Amino acid sequence: MPDHNHDPLAWWREARFGLFIHWGIYSVPAGFWKGQPIPSLGEWIMHNAKIPLEEYAPLAQQFNPAKFNAEEWVSVAAKAGMKYLVITAKHHDGFAMFHSPSNPYNIVDATPYGHDVMKDLAEACARHGLRMCFYYSQDQDWAAEGASGHWEEVQDKGWHGHKPDPERFAAYLESKVKPQLRELLTQYGPIGLIWFDTPVAITKEQSQMLKEYVHSLQPDCLVSGRVGHELGDYGSLGDNMIPAGPVVGDWETPATLNDTWGFKSDDHNWKSVQDLLILLVDLTSKGVNYLLNVGPTSEGLIPQPSIDLLLAIGRWMDVNSEAIYGTQPNPWPFEFRWGRVTAKQNKLFLLFYEWPAMVLGRVHEDSNRPGGWAGQHELLGLRNRVKRAYLLADPENALPFIQDGDRVTISLPGVAPDPLVSVVVLDFEDALDVDTSIYQQADGTVTLPGYLAEMLKGPDSGMALSRNGMVSGWKDTASKLQWQFKLLTPGTFTVKVVLGSPYHRRPPDGGHVLRLTAGEATVSGAVTCDEQVQSPRAQYFPEYAGTLGQITLDAPGTITVALEAEQIAGEAGITLAAVQLVPA
Ligand code: FHN
């Protein structure tokens, strides 16, 4: 009898957190070619340094990872709380890191090491309860004739200008890709997913064909969104892309610990544990899986800083993973300044980046508790009756709280249970029910995110909501954005405009002249990029806040806000993350 309730994505949604491994013969040069540092990603060295195949392929003869230990790698991932492992079986350089009887350019037949590391990894994953998964570059293969980016064809043009001949590309899919996929899906037991990448030349029919081919070999094996043409079993967001708001459907973000995927001996730009936890929590609160990368060396070692970071995440997960695994996204459509929210059945998890320090007037006194009750947190808009509040780090002891309508005030200990991210749990009855309209938060601020705006577009406007949750391509003065929110406490507010950047690691164009109308009040002015927003999300695509001026809102109630552009600077137009009204 077929099981109609069987959902091949169930394990992946439960997992939320996985390990990505970029490992190949590019770890031998490790970012340097003929003594020169080669900019950009380590695994792209063949392309970026324009290395002919006859010079690159012999790197295989130097690849002898004698220190490789699958048990150690997988146990680090397991300790970090990761539930799946995706390793580069073949990256764009075309070298197979598994035993490929169909093509001798592989780790067993072309290196002195001569051993199939994937067998060891698959066995270690099975021992530790992780799903074994493969990355496979189906479109680009710099070593295979007919594929995108073949080294001889891109020497002058650069990969981005290269379009392979369709017939030869189809022949490459038949002669290299399909035989190797068959090997990957028959030699290593059950495979969780195939992580295809960079679909450029592939046609819709070919993406569909590859997806069906994978499913014909292992029906439950998932196919990543980058198989092309939105045909994946789940979607893949951009590299290191952290959406500004909720995303609909099943998505994953691949992300780096430093600035490369494949090992580079001179990349020491490691993210902090705090940034990584915030990214994990932020993505989880949006229902997005976090696939976090390590780039092992040619000796077979995961760099020690990577291990240290993963183990630190693991120590946090030991206490707090209940707020991550199998959770539902934040039920509110907006982010909170103090942290993020996830939900599971009759529980809400409040994940604090900023532990409440202010005392608004204590509602509870408890002289027995060390440190007393120093802070309070007010949560607005929860319509369920809270039964119990507690710290995930201390589930035995209830936290005092008062609920007045949809306002819950929780008393919190003076010292945060975790210096980086602390979790408060609210248990409630019945199905989760929250107020999803935009309203002023307990700290007085109002955030109007771009993705919640109504877009009133002028004729031929290019304004659109991009995948990262920002309004982008706003180049015309006939278009405007509109929101409604509930004002609880009137007053004077500073109006801040948070701009996203369309440019990688460069600020957006400043100098747009914008006009904001809120109820009867209006303010207009030039928005310059005054302050860079310090957030882990904005490391690769920076965000800047500029101040438009101040407005006074006299009476509580529902306020309509319109944002118009009087003048737009730069060619890319306005990329808008949010408008914030901050009590002046
Ligand atoms: O070009 C690759 C890159 O080397 C790396 O594998 C990343 C991981 O997501 N994917 C491609 C770029 O998006």
Side-chain angles (χ1 to χ4, degrees):
M1 281 280 284
D3 176 2
H4 295 295
N5 292 324
H6 177 66
D7 181 356
L9 269 159
W11 71 264
W12 183 89
R13 290 193 191 110
E14 174 71 27
R16 287 285 168 248
F17 190 29
L19 180 68
F20 213 176
I21 305 179
H22 275 68
W23 199 32
I25 56 173
Y26 39 79
S27 60
V28 174
F32 285 80
W33 192 249
K34 301 193 171 158
Q36 294 305 310
I38 306 300
S40 192
L41 306 172
E43 70 283 5
W44 273 73
I45 193 165
M46 177 177 172
H47 179 275
N48 292 344
K50 294 191 188 314
I51 307 174
L53 185 61
E54 59 263 25
E55 286 185 45
Y56 185 82
L59 288 173
Q61 289 151 27
Q62 296 174 53
F63 187 77
N64 192 6
K67 296 185 180 159
F68 168 71
N69 182 326
E71 176 59 28
E72 279 174 15
W73 285 20
V74 176
S75 74
V76 169
K79 281 184 193 153
M82 293 160 152
K83 297 292 187 190
Y84 58 115
L85 180 154
V86 184
I87 180 162
T88 45
K90 185 197 82 169
H91 203 267
H92 310 329
D93 66 354
F95 186 80
M97 289 293 286
F98 60 101
H99 186 216
S100 175
S102 65
N103 190 309
Y105 194 42
N106 73 71
I107 188 169
V108 174
D109 297 315
T111 73
Y113 188 60
H115 179 73
D116 189 350
V117 292
M118 300 305 180
K119 274 213 154 48
D120 300 0
L121 284 168
E123 284 164 18
C125 279
R127 280 196 297 278
H128 286 275
L130 272 80
R131 301 267 175 163
M132 177 75 185
C133 310
F134 291 119
Y135 171 108
Y136 189 88
S137 176
Q138 82 282 21
D139 198 310
Q140 287 190 78
D141 188 321
W142 305 329
E145 283 182 19
S148 286
H150 184 254
W151 71 278
E152 277 174 316
E153 301 195 26
V154 298
Q155 286 295 300
D156 304 323
K157 296 178 215 132
W159 176 68
H160 293 285
H162 179 235
K163 274 270 171 226
D165 170 72
E167 260 181 46
R168 294 176 71 224
F169 183 76
Y172 148 74
L173 291 181
E174 290 300 322
S175 62
K176 184 161 183 184
V177 175
K178 282 172 71 180
Q180 290 200 325
L181 285 174
R182 173 175 286 280
E183 288 158 4
L184 290 171
L185 289 161
T186 52
Q187 293 176 175
Y188 307 98
I191 298 305
L193 59 91
I194 301 286
W195 215 95
F196 292 111
D197 203 2
T198 62
V200 177
I202 197 163
T203 64
K204 189 167 182 188
E205 291 69 34
Q206 288 165 337
S207 295
Q208 181 67 27
M209 177 274 288
L210 286 187
K211 179 177 170 182
E212 285 171 13
Y213 189 65
V214 168
H215 288 165
S216 74
L217 292 163
Q218 289 204 23
D220 279 352
C221 180
L222 304 174
V223 167
S224 83
R226 297 192 192 182
V227 71
H229 305 280
E230 312 288 333
L231 285 172
D233 293 312
Y234 68 88
S236 179
L237 292 172
D239 295 351
N240 286 304
M241 182 192 278
I242 315 297
V247 289
V248 179
D250 296 299
W251 293 90
E252 175 184 66
T253 289
T256 50
L257 281 174
N258 47 356
D259 292 329
T260 182
W261 304 90
F263 179 67
K264 275 186 98 169
S265 57
D266 63 346
D267 184 341
H268 308 294
N269 191 23
W270 303 103
K271 294 177 179 53
S272 67
V273 180
Q274 183 171 29
D275 283 0
L276 295 166
L277 284 179
I278 287 177
L279 291 172
L280 171 66
V281 162
D282 193 3
L283 285 168
T284 306
S285 77
K286 290 162 184 159
V288 178
N289 278 18
Y290 191 31
L291 185 62
L292 189 53
N293 183 73
V294 296
T297 67
S298 60
E299 285 185 295
L301 296 175
I302 297 177
Q304 193 59 41
S306 302
I307 294 180
D308 294 344
L309 290 169
L310 295 182
L311 294 181
I313 296 175
R315 287 191 288 279
W316 184 87
M317 288 288 275
D318 286 344
V319 176
N320 298 296
S321 65
E322 195 190 334
I324 302 291
Y325 297 140
T327 51
Q328 301 296 316
N330 173 14
W332 284 277
F334 44 80
E335 296 180 344
F336 298 95
R337 281 159 66 103
W338 47 264
R340 294 290 179 269
V341 179
T342 62
K344 198 188 287 183
Q345 284 129 17
N346 293 1
K347 284 187 195 332
L348 208 56
F349 300 98
L350 314 182
L351 299 110
F352 287 88
Y353 309 160
E354 288 171 28
W355 193 242
M358 56 183 184
V359 179
L360 298 170
R362 297 177 184 195
V363 286
H364 297 99
E365 290 294 342
D366 180 352
S367 51
N368 294 329
R369 186 161 186 124
W373 300 106
Q376 289 174 3
H377 179 70
E378 274 191 83
L379 183 72
L380 307 180
L382 178 64
R383 296 186 177 126
N384 298 86
R385 291 242 52 85
V386 176
K387 283 197 303 192
R388 189 165 183 269
Y390 58 93
L391 301 170
L392 203 46
D394 182 17
E396 299 305 316
N397 290 306
L399 296 170
F401 68 90
I402 289 175
Q403 187 162 20
D404 177 13
D406 67 2
R407 177 187 297 260
V408 185
T409 307
I410 314 153
S411 292
L412 297 165
V415 180
D418 187 289
L420 303 179
V421 180
S422 298
V423 185
V424 171
V425 189
L426 301 182
D427 276 352
F428 50 82
E429 287 165 358
D430 308 324
L432 185 57
D433 182 14
V434 305
D435 181 354
T436 56
S437 56
I438 310 177
Y439 45 89
Q440 190 178 21
Q441 293 300 303
D443 64 2
T445 58
V446 179
T447 301
L448 304 168
Y451 58 83
L452 288 183
E454 188 185 350
M455 285 190 261
L456 302 170
K457 295 196 212 176
D460 304 321
S461 170
M463 182 195 257
L465 188 61
S466 63
R467 190 168 267 181
N468 66 3
M470 296 189 194
V471 174
S472 61
W474 182 2
K475 300 180 188 174
D476 62 312
T477 51
S479 298
K480 63 176 178 176
L481 298 176
Q482 200 163 286
W483 299 262
Q484 286 201 323
F485 76 92
K486 281 188 251 171
L487 179 71
L488 307 173
T489 312
T492 298
F493 297 84
T494 300
V495 178
K496 291 191 163 197
V497 174
V498 183
L499 296 176
S501 180
Y503 313 117
H504 188 244
R505 298 200 142 170
R506 268 174 50 205
D509 303 305
H512 314 296
V513 179
L514 302 179
R515 183 172 62 247
L516 180 125
T517 312
E520 304 293 304
T522 297
V523 61
S524 69
V527 175
T528 46
C529 298
D530 303 340
E531 49 176 285
Q532 186 168 2
V533 177
Q534 296 304 326
S535 107
R537 167 173 99 200
Q539 279 175 2
Y540 293 93
F541 290 93
E543 292 172 27
Y544 283 79
T547 300
L548 202 56
Q550 291 196 335
I551 50 163
T552 299
L553 300 171
D554 298 322
T558 299
I559 311 276
T560 300
V561 176
L563 185 68
E564 291 162 276
E566 292 176 352
Q567 222 175 293
I568 297 173
E571 281 188 4
I574 303 170
T575 304
L576 185 101
V579 171
Q580 287 171 348
L581 310 185
V582 183

